[in-house]
Amino acid sequence: MIGTHALASLLTALALAAPHPAAGEPTATASAATARPLAGMVVGIDPGHNGGNFSDPSFINAPVWNGREEEACDTTGTETDGGYTEALFNFNVASYLRALLIREGAKVVMTRRTNEGVGPCIDRRAQILDKARADVAIDIHADGGPAGGRGVAILTPVAGGPNDHVIASSKRFGRILLKRFTTVTGIPISNYDGSGGFAPRDNLAGLNLTTVPKVLIECVNMRNAADAARLVKPSFQRLAAKSMAEAITGFLLSR
Ligand SMILES: [Zn+2]
């Protein structure tokens, strides 16, 4: 047992020994955990295509192995009827997302850092994020669908070898992402791609070759007038990125 006087002395000694903040001020540890919830985590972002792809057809059309079959290294991507390219939309959203995630403490790995280059090929993009051992990854795209179709679709991996261990986790991330994206942006679930907003795909290198939880989001249909009017605005691109950051954080903190 310990006497009252000795206990008081001990408490005083402890109080003097341990540096502590002024009353009402959060401790450094608590505030860091609150402000940087993704500290120590790695997030992969693949902004689909690249702004220079149209300039080098021989590189872009060269066949690569997508995990099940050969397909072209990449494509130019689609664009709106007004000529706003998918590559630029994808890159802008990715850049806003990267900034948000870094602010939350994550290490962010991008498959491309500008919108002026060519490539990398789709197999290489998957390898970059696999090698980074990303805790979660997102392929950002926008679709070129029928003019009457609109909305967002989440493409999910189908087990085929390399991705076997991340099928369930990718689907869970996809469910969180669809909810956040539709809620934050107001974009409806696709009325032409997949079912209920989800489309399992076994013909995409990014999903076949992934060893980290990953989905591909077709944010909008660039060939639809209503979707196109929104997607070209930086305010919309920021909202899209915000919804993705919320989904990524929600996924990582609920594992
Ligand atoms: Zn695309």
Side-chain angles (χ1 to χ4, degrees):
M1 121 168 240
I2 187 165
T4 308
H5 179 72
L7 179 59
S9 300
L10 178 60
L11 290 174
T12 304
L14 285 172
L16 289 172
H20 61 282
E25 191 180 303
T27 65
T29 309
S31 66
T34 307
R36 295 168 63 83
L38 302 185
M41 298 188 200
V42 179
V43 179
I45 306 176
D46 177 24
H49 317 286
N50 202 332
N53 280 5
F54 70 92
S55 69
D56 196 345
S58 63
F59 179 84
I60 291 306
N61 292 331
V64 299
W65 185 249
N66 77 6
R68 279 189 175 82
E69 59 191 344
E70 282 192 336
E71 68 171 299
C73 156
D74 203 350
T75 68
T76 58
T78 187
E79 61 184 26
T80 67
D81 289 350
Y84 193 100
T85 68
E86 183 199 346
L88 179 59
F89 171 79
N90 297 341
F91 186 73
N92 286 350
V93 173
S95 299
Y96 291 132
L97 175 59
R98 175 174 178 270
L100 290 171
L101 293 171
I102 288 174
R103 209 173 300 159
E104 291 189 58
K107 178 188 174 191
V108 176
V109 177
M110 303 262 284
T111 57
R112 61 180 171 105
R113 296 296 296 273
T114 75
N115 193 46
E116 276 74 56
V118 178
C121 295
I122 51 177
D123 57 338
R124 176 80 187 121
R125 290 171 188 250
Q127 289 160 6
I128 289 169
L129 303 184
D130 289 347
K131 200 175 166 196
R133 296 179 181 276
D135 291 286
V136 67
I138 184 167
D139 291 354
I140 301 175
H141 285 254
D143 200 18
R150 69 168 304 206
V152 55
I154 308 284
L155 313 190
T156 58
V158 175
N163 62 11
D164 285 355
H165 297 294
V166 295
I167 299 299
S169 54
S170 297
K171 285 181 180 168
R172 190 174 77 81
F173 173 49
R175 287 192 294 271
I176 297 171
L177 180 60
L178 183 66
K179 179 76 180 157
R180 292 317 305 152
F181 189 87
T182 53
T183 302
V184 172
T185 67
I187 293 289
I189 287 173
S190 177
N191 59 9
Y192 69 94
D193 191 4
S195 172
F198 297 102
R201 289 284 293 270
D202 67 359
N203 60 347
L204 299 170
L207 299 181
N208 289 349
L209 301 175
T210 188
T211 56
V212 304
K214 187 203 276 179
V215 297
L216 186 157
I217 181 168
E218 297 276 17
C219 294
V220 289
N221 176 13
M222 299 192 80
R223 293 297 187 181
N224 175 276
D227 278 1
R230 295 203 61 199
L231 75 90
V232 298
K233 295 178 182 161
S235 58
F236 175 79
Q237 296 168 1
R238 283 198 190 89
L239 272 185
K242 178 174 182 282
S243 76
M244 292 173 191
E246 288 178 3
I248 286 165
T249 303
F251 171 79
L252 291 175
L253 298 186
S254 62
R255 285 187 297 179

